[in-house]
Amino acid sequence: MATASKASSSNSPWAPKPVDRPKNELPKISVIGGTGRMGVHLCAAWANAGYDVTMCSRTKEKAQVIVDELLSGKGYQKKVEGKNSGQGDYSVPPCEAKEWKLQAGDNTAAANADLIVLSTMYEKTWSILEEIAPEIKGKGKKILDMTNPFMKRPDGFGAGLPKDGPQAGIIIHKAKLDDPTTKWAGAYKHVLWTLILPNGPKNPSRPDIEVFGDKEAVDDVVELIYRHGWRPIVRGGIEVAPKYEGGKVSFGKIFGNIRREMKKGEKLSVGW
């Protein structure tokens, strides 16, 4: 793919936009945690952008119910009950889906994709990834890690990481998988699922998404973000991951975002 993992010029914060390529040349995507709120919204957006997407869950049947609803053109709306109610519901609007390549699968099906997306709770991710690791290692896969170990939830997930270890989930997952052929990227850490529509951001005035990681994976994620109507800003390699974990709020981060918005025109999607 003709793109790069840095901004096109010192005056532009956005990654260069790659040349459009035919849909059949795009990487196949699988989404672990695909039946969660973020997963469902992104599966719809990426399928609408021309990708071949597999929505994965513990059982294929659970994912199939949602896939059938989306492919019918009705979108997908569901109220969240229990401890996480009030955080936001499933709210994919009706959208023409006749051309979508969207299918359901269980978690083991995720290993068949070129780009594997981790979209479940951080605390549950490694056990799933470990199960499919033999099918991943040595095959040049790319992984988009969207997990948020610091994004505290009412149900108890997102409680953080031990202070004496790495302060980013992606760094821990990469070390555990221990496969030099697998390339990693992090993105969508601060994007609220309700802002992700099949045809682009719900708030078009704030379309920017931060990306970091290995160049090979970052390039695919940059293309992915552009294709579904958003703008990617590449922050650096895996080593910068602790700075961009979701749920870690500081005055320095807030002021840095405001400064870059004023000086460079960045418009991060942070739920504003």
Side-chain angles (χ1 to χ4, degrees), residues 141-208:
K141 301 288 186 177
K142 293 161 186 172
I143 297 179
L144 169 56
D145 192 333
M146 302 194 307
T147 60
N148 270 318
F150 297 97
M151 193 69 78
K152 192 171 183 179
R153 296 168 30 141
D155 59 6
F157 290 105
L161 297 171
K163 293 184 179 180
D164 59 351
Q167 294 300 291
I170 190 174
I171 294 176
I172 295 172
H173 290 150
K174 182 175 183 178
K176 285 184 174 181
L177 187 65
D178 191 24
D179 176 37
T181 76
T182 299
K183 303 303 178 182
W184 293 74
Y188 298 90
K189 292 283 188 171
H190 303 91
V191 182
L192 191 64
W193 60 86
T194 55
L195 299 176
I196 299 171
L197 304 181
N199 59 353
K202 185 175 182 179
N203 182 359
S205 66
R206 289 200 166 273
D208 293 345

Side-chain angles (χ1 to χ4, degrees), residues 35 55-68 104-106:
T35 57
M55 179 187 292
C56 299
S57 188
R58 289 187 299 275
T59 67
K60 179 179 178 180
E61 291 74 20
K62 180 180 180 181
Q64 191 67 58
V65 171
I66 301 174
V67 167
D68 289 345
D106 61 16

